[in-house]
Amino acid sequence: MDEMKRLVDKYPGGYEAFVHHEVDVGPPAPYENASLVTHTSIKQVYVRSTLDDDVDSIMALDLKATIAVQGFVVLPAVLNSTQISCLRSACDVIRSLAESGEWPHLRTLPKQFPPWSSDPSNGIWGIQHLLHPDMPFQNLFSASYFNDTIIHTVEQLLDCEETDLIMELYNLLVRPTRDFELRWHRDDIPPSATAEEEEKRLQEPAWHAQWNLALYDDDSLIVVPGSHKRARTGQEREADAYEKDMPGQLVVEVEAGDVVFYDNNILHRGVYDSNKARATLHGSIGHVASGNARARNVLQHGTAEWVERCRFDELEEGMRHRAEMMRRKLVNMGKVQGGATGFSHED
């Protein structure tokens, strides 16, 4: 039985009562036995799957090679219509809590990087800590984070086993209260870095995988394909922080249910339209070998403050075992690093 549907059926009134609005997203895309589709403007690997399908075909594809070349890869239709409906409804509830001040972990306007205020009065563009033990519907979000499709994709991208994986971040990016743009950036390399510093950092192993899982059609992410492998060009360094036509840029267009994995040090930005529905699950999973190289980027979001209380008792046994194993590794990271390691950017 679908894990999200099983969890939702536990709520009073069951699934029909929980999904309080009709959502017509159509049937999930047909499973095409891991066939490849070539984008008209840039080569991308696509694999048809759902969270509950056989994931052997994903493992057969060389997603690591694809993301190594272009810096991102899109997997369409990893969520079916039931899963999308469940998650949209949960996101509606927590957005209401966030905007009313009842959930304090926010991404507030107009700030791009942490730390953020817990005051929503100036508007929000994201909600933090979907795996937090006090998060409403934490079990639903957990089922979308620890599922086979996400986990096996991360295993391939990091060339590792499940026992190497560590729980990291899971947040929600939402339609902003007003139009909002992020400046061009790399997530863990400041803009002040010299070309030599950039080259050195970019040659280090990527000890994590990062993704955006869209619950509505989403064209917010803009990237410069291939820029994760090189220092910025002179033109990129001199460009306006909000340059609308960066040379070589590509708008990553995804449909509801699609997921895009991307190297977080690709040169990228976000453009968020206050008139477009948006609920995009923004997650990352790391490798236990990451150490100091990754700790700052994870712990700057405050996860060490609550992860020891986190439980996944409502998940099915196999997923629960996986979640607990990965959670314990994050607890250990927090203890080793002392819970705080500063921030990646000054904002």
Side-chain angles (χ1 to χ4, degrees):
M1 182 180 184
D2 177 88
E3 177 71 350
M4 293 183 195
K5 178 70 157 54
R6 181 186 70 81
L7 292 168
V8 168
D9 279 338
K10 292 186 174 184
Y11 288 95
Y15 170 73
E16 294 301 330
F18 178 74
V19 183
H20 52 79
H21 48 72
E22 293 294 325
V23 181
D24 182 16
V25 297
Y31 193 43
E32 298 178 353
N33 193 27
S35 60
L36 301 186
V37 180
T38 302
H39 192 279
T40 55
S41 61
I42 184 168
K43 292 181 179 179
Q44 296 175 268
V45 172
Y46 286 82
V47 55
R48 300 291 180 179
S49 181
T50 70
L51 288 180
D52 302 302
D53 277 337
D54 186 350
V55 297
D56 288 345
S57 57
I58 294 177
M59 299 302 289
L61 292 172
D62 198 346
L63 302 180
K64 183 177 180 180
T66 303
I67 205 168
V69 171
Q70 64 186 36
F72 72 100
V73 61
V74 177
L75 280 66
V78 302
L79 293 176
N80 61 37
S81 57
T82 298
Q83 294 161 337
I84 292 172
S85 291
C86 290
L87 288 166
R88 282 181 177 178
S89 296
C91 290
D92 286 346
V93 173
I94 65 170
R95 174 166 189 146
S96 295
L97 293 174
E99 291 181 326
S100 65
E102 296 178 69
W103 183 257
H105 308 294
L106 311 172
R107 295 189 178 200
T108 50
L109 297 172
K111 206 166 185 294
Q112 177 164 340
F113 297 108
W116 288 282
S117 166
S118 60
D119 179 4
S121 60
N122 200 41
I124 67 172
W125 64 279
I127 297 164
Q128 299 287 90
H129 303 325
L130 299 182
L131 302 180
H132 193 294
D134 300 329
M135 167 62 70
F137 316 116
Q138 183 241 33
N139 53 3
L140 293 183
F141 296 122
S142 298
S144 70
Y145 181 90
F146 294 108
N147 71 79
D148 287 349
T149 298
I150 295 295
I151 294 298
H152 290 306
T153 301
V154 173
E155 286 174 354
Q156 185 177 147
L157 293 176
L158 300 185
D159 193 19
C160 69
E161 304 294 330
E162 183 172 314
T163 52
D164 295 320
L165 300 181
I166 180 171
M167 174 180 139
E168 287 195 349
L169 306 173
Y170 208 30
N171 304 313
L172 173 65
L173 307 179
V174 300
R175 175 184 56 80
T177 311
R178 61 180 185 274
D179 288 355
F180 177 57
E181 298 183 12
L182 304 183
R183 61 182 179 267
W184 287 102
H185 67 285
R186 307 183 193 270
D187 282 0
D188 202 30
I189 302 177
S192 58
T194 65
E196 292 75 17
E197 289 169 337
E198 279 188 289
E199 291 283 3
K200 181 179 178 181
R201 292 284 293 276
L202 294 173
Q203 289 172 9
E204 295 173 356
W207 291 117
H208 74 285
Q210 180 167 303
W211 69 90
N212 286 354
L213 177 54
L215 304 182
Y216 296 91
D217 294 356
D218 196 330
D219 59 359
S220 302
L221 177 64
I222 306 174
V223 303
V224 178
S227 59
H228 63 299
K229 300 189 299 181
R230 58 165 177 79
R232 285 167 294 170
T233 66
Q235 189 172 3
E236 289 166 347
R237 285 180 172 275
E238 294 172 5
D240 184 83
Y242 300 92
E243 172 60 53
K244 298 184 183 302
D245 190 22
M246 189 72 80
Q249 75 173 40
L250 178 75
V251 176
V252 181
E253 298 181 355
V254 295
E255 297 180 358
D258 293 354
V259 61
V260 53
F261 282 84
Y262 61 101
D263 187 311
N264 78 333
N265 278 327
I266 194 171
L267 194 59
H268 66 286
R269 68 187 295 249
V271 177
Y272 308 130
D273 188 337
S274 60
N275 293 312
K276 285 185 179 179
R278 190 180 196 220
T280 292
L281 303 174
H282 179 55
S284 69
I285 289 175
H287 191 292
V288 290
S290 59
N292 290 335
R294 182 62 183 158
R296 179 182 62 252
N297 213 321
V298 175
L299 298 177
Q300 67 179 344
H301 291 266
T303 53
E305 299 172 5
W306 51 264
V307 66
E308 290 200 59
R309 296 194 293 117
C310 206
R311 295 295 180 269
F312 304 104
D313 296 337
E314 293 194 47
L315 298 180
E316 291 179 342
E317 183 178 357
M319 190 179 291
R320 183 172 66 250
H321 174 77
R322 169 189 290 162
E324 179 57 23
M325 175 190 69
M326 293 172 62
R327 183 197 70 85
R328 286 196 302 268
K329 290 182 172 67
L330 180 57
V331 170
N332 291 337
M333 175 191 280
K335 289 179 178 178
V336 170
Q337 302 299 329
T341 56
F343 298 96
S344 297
H345 291 266
E346 295 182 5
D347 183 15

